[in-house]
């Protein structure tokens, strides 16, 4: 197998907090706990989980917008912790980030041409002005926007078009990996499919890898080769897309799948209603992170953290009773 | 639901806005009704007019800039639009409960949760003693699935998680056991597993108290699960009205069809999604004729005319506002 584009090993991120939350008062939010995974060339990995489970924090650590509390990130086998200067700049070019909010992620004072060509200039990809303009028009066309839009400002575009511009900006610098953080959740339902289809097409055309972050499991399933399910900072299950649904091996994943309302599915069939609420974790979790809401938990779940168990090759579940799920 | 007692009846409701000299009609002559103990879903994209339609039902539209330009709204036979303010007060919170779209903004940040949840009780049942009010409130907080109701009672909104706040909002809407619950995107801010909990809760409360429900959402799956009847709204008008079953088995309007195939489903295989081209228009740009026409892939010559397609009756209780169905229509609304 080839070398992963990105490999993260035992990544942790703790945020210090001052305010006291209703039921607990301690000093750290444990946003990410011991997370490890790999992303291979041309692979789309979906990262799914409920709000606040740490998805964005992982993405931000990968692009060095956030310093890990512990753990390392490897780019094609090299530890990025030691990257400085030129090497860091090159790394930042290869790993691009698309944000959730298409309204605030584009500089309102720059025309589309400048937004897209900035990367080309910054990373010394194309120095010649005329060639750069040709390239920008070409990229704009690639994301399905007519080149007449080159000299418009972001506010003149709809949400879906703005997200296309964000995508144009990131593919301009020829990245290896694009991290898409909820790229369509701010868009109207009828527009979402346009953007998702575009990402899929570009991925094949440009041999990209994608880390697709979302709380929408159906969407993640649609676009991903492999899926990581997160809960409260932990990865609880990791599997090839199809296997995650066919051989679900974690009670949280099972509840998540069953909770998605879908026309045509019989709602009451097998719906698992969990108890309790997801709260940010500030104290140390001794056992399983899902224990307090789990419908399968036993004594051992309170005491011992479940280790990753591979019931099927490539399919890992962090549950003491994975085979019984 | 054997006898069809009408609880809400809206006729030709038109809502206009005036914003900086610009005038537009965000809701254009819509009509619908809700029967006793019926659940109706109102779906449509952002800005199509769902919230203002429901706010008009209890006359909570911000006016200015909003103005009801025409139509009538009857609740239990009484005209809401001509009602005296004091009569209206008796209905709001008592007969009609509302779960507002944004739980953050509908809760007062400096008032304790318990005080806010119990407010409708204090308004509508002035004879109740303090202790009774407290007990009823604690019971309601328990009923909406909040553990430690006493602690939640004396907490301030910022101390609760989103799901807990949403539950507090439901408790406020439900505390007087209203006849109609308007739930405006009650779970959009929440995670799916919490959404499932809350929907379960609304279903139970609805059954116990024989309540009607108007569920507003952009999530078709949620509507399919919760509602017997669905109204699909596009750009300030109704595109299609049908029973959930009929709508999901045989969507008629090109917009409804497009919506259903543009959403990835768990049951799908991973092919390309069919997307609806173009984007949602602003109310100031709404067309006279069919408003979906510029984005429609099935349009015919008739669609270009400047006449809005009426809601054609196609099948039992299945209406569609689209020229493609003119010939096979059994009537129209
Ligand atoms: N800069 C920060 N300071 C303090 N806490 C933070 C910070 N950034 C994130 N957190 C906390 O870390 C946790 C994980 O946040 P993160 O944004 O990664 O979640 P997420 O999975 O992306 O959620 P969402 O789906 O809502 O975007 C949350 O509890 C959040 O409050
Ligand atoms: N306070 C206001 N001032 C001006 N225009 C308004 C106001 N409130 C609503 N509108 C207009 O009315 C239209 C309908 O708004 P409404 O809030 O009913 O949409 P909605 O269907 O509830 O959307 P969403 O799904 O985003 O909540 C919007 O397109 C908007 O232009
Ligand atoms: S009336 Fe015409 S344009 Fe409008 S939805 Fe029907 S087919 Fe499409
Ligand atoms: Mg996030
Ligand atoms: Mg709304």
């Amino acid at each position: 197998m080839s070398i992963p584009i990105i490999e993260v090993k035992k990544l942790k991120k703790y945020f210090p907090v001052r305010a006291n939350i209703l039921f607990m008062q301690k000093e750290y939010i444990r946003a990410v706990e011991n997370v490890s995974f790999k992303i291979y060339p041309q692979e789309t990995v979906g990262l799914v989980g409920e709000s606040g489970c740490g998805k964005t924090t992982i993405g931000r650590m990968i692009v060095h917008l956030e310093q890990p509390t512990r753990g390392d990130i490897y780019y094609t086998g090299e530890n990025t912790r030691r990257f400085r200067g030129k090497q860091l700049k090159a790394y930042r070019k290869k790993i691009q980030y698309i944000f959730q909010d298409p309204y605030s992620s584009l500089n309102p004072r720059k025309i589309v041409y400048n937004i897209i060509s900035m990367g080309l200039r910054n990373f010394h990809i194309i120095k010649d002005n005329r060639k750069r303009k040709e390239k920008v028009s070409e990229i704009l066309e690639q994301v399905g926007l007519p080149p007449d839009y080159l000299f418009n400002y972001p506010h003149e575009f709809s949400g879906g078009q703005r997200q296309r511009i964000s995508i144009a900006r990131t593919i301009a610098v020829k990245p290896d990996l694009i991290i898409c953080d909820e790229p369509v959740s701010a868009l109207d339902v009828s527009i979402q499919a346009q953007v998702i289809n575009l990402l899929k097409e570009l991925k094949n055309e440009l041999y990209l890898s994608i880390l697709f972050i979302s709380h929408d499991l159906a969407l993640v399933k649609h676009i991903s080769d492999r899926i990581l399910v997160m809960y409260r900072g932990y990865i609880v299950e990791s599997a090839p897309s199809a296997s995650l649904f066919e051989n679900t091996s974690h009670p949280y994943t099972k509840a998540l799948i069953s909770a998605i309302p879908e026309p045509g599915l019989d709602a009451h069939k097998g719906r698992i209603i969990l108890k309790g609420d997801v709260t940010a974790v500030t104290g140390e979790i001794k056992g399983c992170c899902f224990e307090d809401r789990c419908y399968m938990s036993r004594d051992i779940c309170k005491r011992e953290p479940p280790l990753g168990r591979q019931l099927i090759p490539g399919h890992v579940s962090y549950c003491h009773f994975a085979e019984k799920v | 639901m054997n006898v069809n007692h009408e609880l809400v009846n809206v006729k030709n409701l038109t809502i206009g806005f005036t914003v900086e000299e610009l005038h537009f009609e965000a809701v254009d002559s819509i009509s619908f009704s809700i029967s006793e103990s019926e659940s109706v879903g109102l779906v449509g994209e952002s800005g199509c007019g769902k919230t203002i339609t429901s706010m008009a039902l209890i006359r909570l539209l911000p006016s200015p800039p909003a103005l009801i330009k025409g139509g009538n709204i009857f609740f239990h036979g009484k005209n809401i639009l001509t009602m005296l303010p004091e009569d209206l007060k008796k209905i709001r919170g008592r007969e009609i409960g509302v779960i507002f779209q944004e739980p953050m903004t509908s809760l007062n940040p400096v008032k304790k949760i318990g005080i806010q949840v119990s407010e409708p009780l204090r308004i509508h049942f002035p004879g109740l003693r303090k202790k009774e009010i407290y007990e009823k409130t604690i019971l309601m907080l328990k009923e909406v699935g909040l553990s430690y109701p006493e602690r939640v009672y004396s907490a301030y909104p910022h101390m609760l998680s989103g799901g807990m706040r949403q539950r507090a909002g439901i408790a406020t809407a439900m505390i007087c056991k209203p006849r109609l619950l308007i739930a405006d995107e009650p779970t959009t801010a929440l995670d799916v597993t919490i959404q499932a909990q809350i929907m379960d809760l609304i279903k139970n409360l609805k059954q116990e108290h024989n309540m009607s429900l108007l569920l507003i959402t952009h999530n078709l799956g949620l509507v399919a699960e919760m509602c017997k009847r669905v109204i699909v709204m596009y750009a300030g008008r109704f595109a299609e009205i049908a029973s959930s079953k009929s709508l999901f088995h045989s969507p008629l309007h090109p917009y409804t069809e497009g919506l259903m195939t543009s959403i990835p489903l768990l049951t799908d295989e991973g092919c390309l999604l069919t997307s609806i081209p173009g984007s949602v228009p602003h109310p100031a740009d709404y067309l006279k004729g069919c408003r979906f026409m510029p984005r429609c892939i099935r349009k015919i010559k008739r669609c270009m005319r400047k006449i809005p397609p009426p809601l054609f009756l196609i099948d039992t209780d299945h209406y569609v506002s689209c020229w493609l169905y003119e010939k096979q229509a059994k009537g129209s609304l």
Side-chain angles (χ1 to χ4, degrees):
Chain A
M1 225 175 191
S2 54
I3 306 174
I5 299 276
I6 285 290
E7 173 168 11
V8 306
K9 280 191 187 157
K10 300 209 162 153
L11 217 49
K12 275 190 195 184
K13 181 70 191 178
Y14 293 177
F15 290 107
V17 275
R18 262 165 276 119
N20 68 324
I21 302 164
L22 188 55
F23 298 127
M24 34 197 144
Q25 296 156 273
K26 264 188 189 167
E27 335 112 278
Y28 290 101
I29 287 183
R30 297 165 183 246
V32 175
E33 281 278 15
N34 270 332
V35 163
S36 305
F37 61 86
K38 299 171 186 163
I39 304 171
Y40 286 97
Q42 296 180 55
E43 189 185 31
T44 300
V45 174
L47 185 56
V48 69
E50 298 182 309
S51 181
C53 72
K55 306 180 295 291
T56 297
T57 307
I58 290 180
R60 288 172 57 88
M61 284 193 282
I62 293 178
V63 293
H64 285 208
L65 283 173
E66 205 85 72
Q67 182 83 29
T69 306
R70 214 162 288 148
D72 292 289
I73 298 152
Y74 296 83
Y75 170 65
T76 58
E78 274 183 272
N79 194 334
T80 64
R81 194 182 281 273
R82 289 186 282 275
F83 284 2
R84 300 280 182 277
K86 254 196 185 148
Q87 212 179 6
L88 183 62
K89 205 168 165 190
Y91 174 65
R92 287 220 158 115
K93 188 186 94 184
K94 287 297 179 192
I95 314 294
Q96 291 286 317
Y97 204 103
I98 294 175
F99 295 90
Q100 166 168 1
D101 183 4
Y103 295 92
S104 59
S105 63
L106 297 174
N107 185 338
R109 280 181 297 275
K110 287 215 161 74
I111 55 170
V112 170
Y113 172 73
N114 286 337
I115 289 173
I116 297 173
S117 71
M118 182 107 106
L120 297 175
R121 191 167 39 220
N122 275 358
F123 294 116
H124 305 294
I125 292 176
I126 301 174
K127 290 194 185 115
D128 183 82
N129 264 329
R130 196 177 49 84
K131 278 210 186 116
R132 199 159 61 218
K133 193 164 166 200
E134 268 168 28
K135 185 70 192 166
V136 171
S137 309
E138 191 189 311
I139 293 168
L140 215 51
E141 224 174 292
Q142 243 173 339
V143 298
L145 288 174
D148 350 336
Y149 283 142
L150 272 184
F151 300 101
N152 291 48
Y153 288 91
H155 72 261
E156 298 170 70
F157 294 90
S158 71
Q161 288 174 326
R162 275 184 237 208
Q163 211 53 308
R164 284 173 197 271
I165 298 170
S166 296
I167 294 171
R169 178 178 59 177
T170 57
I171 62 168
V173 298
K174 294 199 167 44
D176 291 336
L177 169 74
I178 301 184
I179 300 176
C180 301
D181 193 350
E182 307 265 10
V184 296
S185 36
L187 303 179
D188 273 319
V189 197
S190 74
I191 313 294
Q192 292 183 0
Q194 297 174 6
V195 175
I196 293 297
N197 286 345
L198 173 67
L199 278 173
K200 280 186 109 169
E201 283 163 20
L202 288 175
K203 184 210 154 185
N204 293 333
E205 260 169 52
L206 307 173
Y207 306 109
L208 290 168
S209 302
I210 295 178
L211 177 62
F212 191 89
I213 299 177
S214 172
H215 63 271
D216 183 341
L217 190 55
L219 192 61
V220 166
K221 180 192 179 212
H222 179 81
I223 197 166
S224 308
D225 304 313
R226 217 147 45 79
I227 298 176
L228 311 169
V229 182
M230 270 189 95
Y231 189 76
R232 280 186 178 165
Y234 292 82
I235 287 183
V236 296
E237 190 163 4
S238 151
S241 268
S243 184
L244 187 78
F245 294 88
E246 279 158 26
N247 316 304
T248 311
S249 314
H250 197 283
Y252 172 65
T253 315
K254 198 165 178 189
L256 195 62
I257 293 173
S258 82
I260 297 172
E262 254 183 30
L265 281 187
D266 188 359
H268 299 283
K269 221 169 73 191
R271 160 100 16 119
I272 300 161
I273 302 282
L274 295 176
K275 54 194 178 195
D277 206 341
V278 203
T279 40
V281 185
T282 45
E284 190 184 349
I285 297 178
K286 283 212 189 68
C288 168
C289 61
F290 186 54
E291 183 271 327
D292 60 331
R293 290 178 80 203
C294 186
Y295 52 92
M296 286 179 47
S297 75
R298 307 262 194 86
D299 281 348
I300 185 176
C301 309
K302 273 203 179 69
R303 277 177 296 147
E304 285 173 36
L307 302 175
R309 298 172 52 211
Q310 196 161 189
L311 299 182
I312 303 165
H315 190 143
V316 181
S317 160
Y318 292 80
C319 169
H320 289 299
F321 305 103
E323 57 284 288
K324 297 204 182 109
V325 173
Chain B
M1 238 194 25
N2 15 20
V3 200
N4 207 20
H5 284 302
E6 214 171 57
L7 189 62
V8 177
N9 187 314
V10 175
K11 269 261 158 327
N12 301 327
L13 178 67
T14 299
I15 304 172
F17 279 93
T18 308
V19 184
E20 293 169 13
E21 312 272 290
L22 182 68
H23 182 82
F24 55 85
E25 275 155 24
V27 164
D28 180 14
S29 193
I30 56 167
S31 304
F32 67 101
S33 61
I34 305 172
S35 307
E36 264 169 20
S37 82
E38 191 189 22
S39 47
V40 175
L42 185 57
V43 295
E45 288 177 73
S46 189
C48 72
K50 305 181 295 295
T51 297
I52 56 170
T53 300
S54 68
M55 287 299 112
L57 289 188
I58 44 168
R59 251 166 75 185
L60 272 185
L61 280 175
S63 32
L67 180 69
I68 295 190
K69 298 186 64 188
N72 280 306
I73 301 170
F74 290 95
F75 180 77
H76 236 257
K78 285 174 280 191
N79 194 338
I80 295 267
L81 296 184
T82 56
M83 203 173 267
L84 294 172
E86 55 263 39
D87 292 330
L88 200 60
K89 267 199 195 127
K90 283 183 201 144
I91 291 183
R92 270 188 212 147
R94 172 74 189 90
E95 311 225 356
I96 305 180
V98 187
I99 304 172
F100 291 95
Q101 188 163 2
E102 285 142 32
M104 308 277 206
T105 51
S106 63
L107 287 172
N108 184 335
V110 298
K111 268 193 191 168
K112 285 185 181 158
I113 293 287
I115 302 298
Q116 304 194 49
V117 172
S118 59
E119 194 167 289
L121 277 184
R122 285 197 303 274
I123 295 173
H124 298 292
F125 300 94
L128 282 180
R129 280 174 298 136
K130 264 202 171 134
K131 190 157 170 285
E132 281 173 307
I133 289 183
Y134 179 77
E135 277 162 7
K136 275 182 192 287
T137 309
I138 293 293
L139 199 69
M140 193 66 226
L141 291 175
K142 251 195 214 141
E143 235 186 304
V144 297
L146 286 162
S147 27
Y148 312 107
E150 291 84 5
R151 278 205 246 174
V152 172
Y153 187 99
S154 43
Y156 290 93
H158 74 267
M159 298 160 116
L160 306 182
S161 71
M164 293 165 91
R165 272 195 290 252
Q166 194 59 277
R167 285 190 167 88
I170 296 175
T172 318
M174 295 291 301
I175 197 153
C176 293
K177 316 291 180 220
R179 288 208 232 189
L180 169 70
L181 177 67
I182 299 175
D184 193 353
E185 306 270 12
T187 54
T188 10
L190 303 178
D191 298 311
V192 265
T193 62
I194 310 282
Q195 168 174 291
Q197 290 173 358
I198 292 199
M199 285 302 148
D200 201 46
L201 170 75
I202 292 181
K203 265 187 218 160
N204 288 340
L205 291 172
K206 190 176 135 36
Q207 233 155 33
E208 266 163 49
H209 306 296
N210 207 21
M211 180 180 73
S212 306
L213 172 70
L214 178 64
L215 176 67
I216 299 176
T217 175
H218 61 264
N219 186 334
L220 285 170
L222 207 57
V223 169
E225 183 179 326
M226 297 288 295
C227 302
K228 284 256 156 57
R229 209 150 57 86
V230 186
I231 301 171
V232 181
M233 200 165 179
Y234 185 81
R237 285 188 196 144
F238 291 165
E240 190 161 357
I241 305 177
S243 69
S244 303
K245 256 216 185 103
S246 175
L247 189 82
F248 293 113
H249 283 137
S250 45
L252 299 176
H253 200 285
Y255 172 64
T256 318
E257 266 180 344
L259 266 191
M260 288 193 191
T261 50
S262 67
I263 304 165
L265 297 179
L266 285 178
T267 39
D268 282 350
E269 292 310 312
C271 44
L272 278 190
L273 300 165
T274 9
S275 61
I276 304 177
S279 58
V280 185
H282 184 271
D285 302 323
Y286 284 170
L287 297 177
K288 280 221 173 63
C290 172
R291 291 174 178 174
F292 188 60
M293 187 270 288
R295 304 178 69 189
C296 185
I297 49 170
R298 288 173 62 192
K299 58 176 164 262
I300 49 177
K301 231 179 178 171
R302 280 188 93 63
C303 310
M304 314 292 171
R305 292 179 309 171
K306 290 186 175 150
I307 314 164
L311 277 159
F312 294 113
L313 176 65
I314 301 303
D315 210 341
T316 328
D317 290 331
H318 197 148
Y319 296 89
V320 61
S321 160
C322 168
W323 290 118
L324 292 173
Y325 298 91
E326 191 177 15
K327 292 219 175 75
Q328 62 190 97
K330 296 171 184 162
S332 71
L333 270 191

